[in-house]
Amino acid sequence: MELGLALPTAGPQTSPETIVKVAQEAEMIGYDALWTFERLLRPLEKVVLWTGGEPQMVPEFYRSTYEPLETLSYVAAVTERVKLGTAALVAPLHVPVMLARRFATLDQLSGGRVIAGVAQGWEPHEFETANVPSRRKGARTEEFIAAMRAVWGPDPVQHEGEFYQIAPSQVNPKPVQAHIPVLLGATSPAAVKRAARIADGLLPLTSSAKELRDIVSGFHDAARAEGRNPADLMVVLQAPWPTPLTRDPIGDGRPFLGGSPRQVAEDLLTAREIGVTQVYLAGGQGLGLELGMQAADVDEWLGLLGEVIVAAGRLGVLEP
């Protein structure tokens, strides 16, 4: 199993210098991937969140977020090996040919290190701002992925669909990778089944081992039903922000994938046994908020991340 890390791209204390520092240190100590996410805006009125329930304010976490592909391009120039992933871009807010070209350009600039994580989105104001209908966003996302793959394929590129059209054209550059992996952010049964049918992997966000087990089991069952081998598909799990990484062990109430390096490594082993191919830790994703880390904590956090690598290695988590 691989280990990834969310770059600190949200919050009032993040900075280009901190992003570069985290990226280079993560690569040096052995992390396999760096991840960013997308948030177009933070509305100043209550909305129903992705978790459902009564309307409430969108978390302060989303007040300031760096653009993901620009950030990864910046990071690509100062790293050599680590993969560069989005978890996730809201596909319907974009134009397929434009986003496909941006991913392809990043793949060229990074020497073939891109992982394209996309999702269907949930925030109604973002759809309004992008002038895109929010209805049938699952079907729209599915066709979006097909159109991007057409762009990455040989010229002439052509796509004729319900939502998107690309006239026969030359569209370049092409990616370095013969096949950029496309992961779908999903937790609902319908979205998980869609990922099993069309994507190269799944990007779940879960808060417990039981929930994770149910989602991965459903994903693998759906893949088999489509005639696909689950072993060929990725499952990249995010340890949700602000899941803490601490020097001392956490007792009662410890969150899944939180606690001391040894505790995190034990949960990583559980995730591997469930069928996860990569976990990325997101505790440092936002800096300077009431919850989570402050910029002054970054050096200590990086030290603990190194201890996670050591502890995970001792438990056999990182073996092929």
Side-chain angles (χ1 to χ4, degrees), residues 28-49:
M28 184 181 72
I29 62 180
Y31 280 79
D32 299 289
L34 299 169
W35 294 88
T36 59
F37 73 100
E38 177 174 59
R39 187 86 281 139
L40 189 62
L41 47 78
R42 179 180 182 249
L44 297 179
E45 63 182 26
K46 293 182 179 180
V47 300
V48 176
L49 302 183

Side-chain angles (χ1 to χ4, degrees), residues 97 101 148-158 166-175:
V97 68
R101 291 187 70 252
M148 281 206 306
R149 285 173 169 158
V151 171
W152 295 332
D155 290 337
V157 172
Q158 183 176 7
I166 306 172
S169 305
Q170 295 174 325
V171 185
N172 291 282
K174 303 299 183 185

Side-chain angles (χ1 to χ4, degrees), residues 196-197 218-230 233:
R197 180 163 46 82
F219 177 59
H220 286 170
D221 288 346
R224 293 187 192 97
E226 294 291 336
R228 307 182 75 188
N229 184 354
L233 303 176

Side-chain angles (χ1 to χ4, degrees), residues 12-277:
Q13 292 180 4
T14 195
S15 67
E17 294 78 15
T18 302
I19 290 169
V20 167
K21 179 178 184 176
V22 169
Q24 292 179 322
E25 183 71 15
E27 182 173 65
M28 184 181 72
I29 62 180
Y31 280 79
D32 299 289
L34 299 169
W35 294 88
T36 59
F37 73 100
E38 177 174 59
R39 187 86 281 139
L40 189 62
L41 47 78
R42 179 180 182 249
L44 297 179
E45 63 182 26
K46 293 182 179 180
V47 300
V48 176
L49 302 183
W50 65 95
T51 51
E54 293 296 317
Q56 56 184 291
M57 293 300 297
V58 174
E60 177 75 12
F61 178 79
Y62 296 119
R63 179 177 180 176
S64 174
T65 61
Y66 278 50
E67 273 295 298
L69 290 180
E70 284 77 357
T71 300
L72 292 177
S73 295
Y74 190 69
V75 164
V78 296
T79 56
E80 297 178 357
R81 171 193 58 81
V82 70
K83 299 172 186 176
L84 306 170
T86 57
L89 299 186
V90 182
L93 305 183
H94 297 269
V95 176
V97 68
M98 293 177 67
L99 187 59
R101 291 187 70 252
R102 294 174 72 196
F103 272 128
T105 298
L106 176 59
D107 207 52
Q108 285 283 344
L109 294 174
S110 66
R113 293 188 271 152
V114 167
I115 304 173
V118 299
Q120 66 184 31
W122 60 272
E123 210 292 305
H125 295 81
E126 293 188 335
F127 283 87
E128 293 172 4
T129 301
N131 196 29
V132 176
S134 60
R135 63 179 180 83
R136 302 189 64 210
K137 54 182 177 284
R140 187 180 293 270
T141 299
E142 181 169 342
E143 188 184 323
F144 192 104
I145 292 171
M148 281 206 306
R149 285 173 169 158
V151 171
W152 295 332
D155 290 337
V157 172
Q158 183 176 7
H159 177 82
E160 289 289 337
E162 179 182 359
F163 304 105
Y164 306 108
Q165 292 78 41
I166 306 172
S169 305
Q170 295 174 325
V171 185
N172 291 282
K174 303 299 183 185
V176 171
Q177 298 179 80
H179 185 90
I180 289 181
V182 178
L183 310 186
L184 188 59
T187 53
S188 71
V192 168
K193 288 181 179 180
R194 180 178 293 111
R197 180 163 46 82
I198 67 167
D200 300 301
L202 184 69
L203 280 167
L205 178 62
T206 66
S207 58
S208 71
K210 181 184 183 305
E211 184 182 10
L212 174 64
R213 192 180 304 276
D214 291 344
I215 289 174
V216 174
S217 176
F219 177 59
H220 286 170
D221 288 346
R224 293 187 192 97
E226 294 291 336
R228 307 182 75 188
N229 184 354
D232 296 333
L233 303 176
M234 302 167 65
V235 178
V236 178
L237 171 67
Q238 174 182 329
W241 181 89
T243 304
L245 177 58
T246 59
R247 172 66 55 191
D248 298 321
I250 296 176
D252 293 343
R254 181 179 71 87
F256 184 56
L257 292 167
S260 68
R262 172 73 186 195
Q263 289 176 316
V264 173
E266 290 171 350
D267 286 348
L268 290 171
L269 184 59
T270 298
R272 173 183 169 131
E273 292 168 349
I274 289 171
V276 171
T277 55

